[in-house]
């Protein structure tokens, strides 16, 4: 049985305290802001919302972003326009208005938000680039709670497609991957990489070994979108997080 980032079923899982964010710390993570949205650099290890045993999460700190740009103290805090796994770092879009949240919902559903991820994988794909086209099925075992589930490649699942490109390799048999999901299934990149024999470094559930959460080498590197013709295009890029830097460097990445 595999649990998502909300609930761990590892034997005697270690207690983890996601990082709390002060106003200054969260505001320093803003990659883009305008009247309709923010793009922030979410830290790895911080869940985006409350679920299960998680009590410390990003939504608690979103009021720190209200009132920026002279919007006034009565501005509503921004809200999540989409989600990232707890252990995934990088670009996360927040809507500042009801219209923006509705619009982002439409854009994500239509595939009009371009998302690029970086990952470090245990293994090197056979081809330097390619497409992983494997439907994914969310399965809850009979008698298990709804918070414990697994994602499996399955012809009966929902369509899931990921483009990948190898950006570099290391002497340790690892690869630095650029991944562009065409669909947005739960744990899509993680399951797809494992399915081609390249589970992500630090993978707690889909690799050959069960590892404690908190060290997943997956970064939502960039997002790009245009909310409407009257709006300028938006592009935001997140820096490589500290816990991925050594592994990236070993695969040829040069420190920015």
């Amino acid at each position: 049985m595999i649990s998502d980032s909300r609930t761990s079923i590892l034997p005697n899982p270690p207690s983890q305290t996601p990082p709390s964010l002060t106003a200054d710390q969260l505001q320093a993570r803003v990659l883009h802001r305008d009247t309709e949205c923010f793009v922030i650099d979410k830290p790895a290890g911080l869940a985006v919302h409350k679920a299960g045993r998680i009590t410390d999460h990003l939504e608690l700190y979103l009021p720190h972003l209200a009132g920026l740009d002279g919007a006034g103290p009565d501005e509503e805090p921004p809200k999540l326009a989409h989600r990232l796994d707890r252990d995934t770092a990088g670009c996360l879009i927040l809507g500042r208005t009801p219209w923006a949240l509705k619009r982002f919902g439409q854009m994500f559903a239509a595939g009009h938000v371009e998302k690029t991820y970086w990952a470090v994988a245990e293994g090197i794909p056979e081809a330097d680039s390619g497409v992983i086209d494997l439907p994914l099925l969310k399965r809850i075992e009979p008698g298990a709670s709804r918070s414990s589930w697994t994602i499996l490649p399955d012809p009966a699942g929902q369509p899931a497609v990921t483009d990948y490109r190898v950006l570099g390799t290391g002497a340790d048999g690892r690869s630095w991957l650029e991944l562009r999901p065409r669909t947005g299934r739960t744990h899509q990149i993680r399951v797809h990489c494992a399915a081609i024999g390249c589970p992500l470094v630090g993978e707690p559930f889909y690799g050959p070994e069960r590892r404690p959460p908190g060290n997943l080498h997956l970064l939502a590197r960039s997002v790009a979108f245009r909310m409407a013709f009257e709006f300028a295009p938006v592009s935001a890029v997140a820096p490589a997080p500290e816990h991925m830097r050594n592994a990236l460097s070993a695969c040829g990445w040069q420190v920015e």
Side-chain angles (χ1 to χ4, degrees):
M1 172 65 65
I2 296 173
S3 168
D4 71 347
S5 57
R6 294 171 294 177
T7 305
S8 174
I9 58 167
L10 294 171
N12 300 316
S15 60
Q16 294 196 357
T17 302
S20 297
L21 295 174
T22 66
D24 287 344
Q25 288 170 335
L26 181 55
Q27 290 169 14
R29 287 182 168 273
V30 173
L31 303 171
H32 167 83
R33 70 188 189 205
D34 59 37
T35 58
E36 299 297 331
C37 70
F38 289 98
V39 182
I40 67 167
D41 176 17
K42 186 191 84 67
L46 182 63
V48 295
H49 55 67
K50 178 176 173 59
R53 291 174 291 175
I54 293 172
T55 58
D56 190 16
H57 52 87
L58 179 64
E59 285 186 327
L60 294 174
Y61 309 110
L62 295 184
H64 293 327
L65 298 177
L68 293 182
D69 305 321
D74 296 329
E75 181 190 18
E76 287 289 322
K79 294 180 174 60
L80 299 168
H82 63 124
R83 289 165 175 76
L84 291 177
D85 291 348
R86 179 179 183 177
D87 289 331
T88 302
C91 292
L92 180 70
I93 302 172
L94 309 171
R96 299 183 74 170
T97 66
W99 176 82
L101 289 165
K102 180 179 179 180
R103 179 64 180 142
F104 279 122
Q106 295 168 339
M107 292 168 65
F108 275 107
H112 292 164
V113 179
E114 182 179 329
K115 298 175 289 182
T116 301
Y117 289 76
W118 278 4
V120 181
E122 302 278 12
I124 301 173
E126 293 182 4
D128 288 340
S129 63
V131 179
I132 307 168
D133 186 352
L134 285 174
L136 299 178
L137 180 68
K138 182 176 182 179
R139 187 178 71 190
I140 301 173
E141 295 292 342
S145 69
R146 295 187 63 82
S147 62
S148 295
W149 39 262
T150 181
I151 303 294
L152 297 172
D154 192 304
Q158 293 181 304
V161 181
T162 304
D163 298 312
Y164 76 86
R165 183 164 65 102
V166 179
L167 299 180
T169 59
D172 54 3
R174 290 177 171 179
S175 57
W176 165 25
L177 304 178
E178 178 187 83
L179 302 128
R180 296 176 181 267
R182 299 186 198 174
T183 51
R185 309 304 176 202
T186 300
H187 292 185
Q188 175 175 319
I189 287 175
R190 298 166 64 177
V191 179
H192 273 179
C193 286
I196 64 169
C198 298
L200 303 190
V201 174
E203 175 58 74
F205 301 124
Y206 301 107
E209 299 178 3
R210 293 293 180 90
R211 299 177 179 176
N215 194 40
L216 186 69
H217 282 42
L218 180 60
L219 169 68
R221 173 64 170 172
S222 66
V223 292
F225 56 87
R226 187 171 188 170
M227 298 190 71
F229 289 116
E230 62 267 30
F231 290 89
V234 172
S235 180
V237 178
E242 188 64 33
H243 74 281
M244 289 180 61
R245 289 181 169 236
N246 287 342
L248 284 169
S249 294
C251 292
W253 174 70
Q254 296 183 351
V255 178
E256 299 159 336

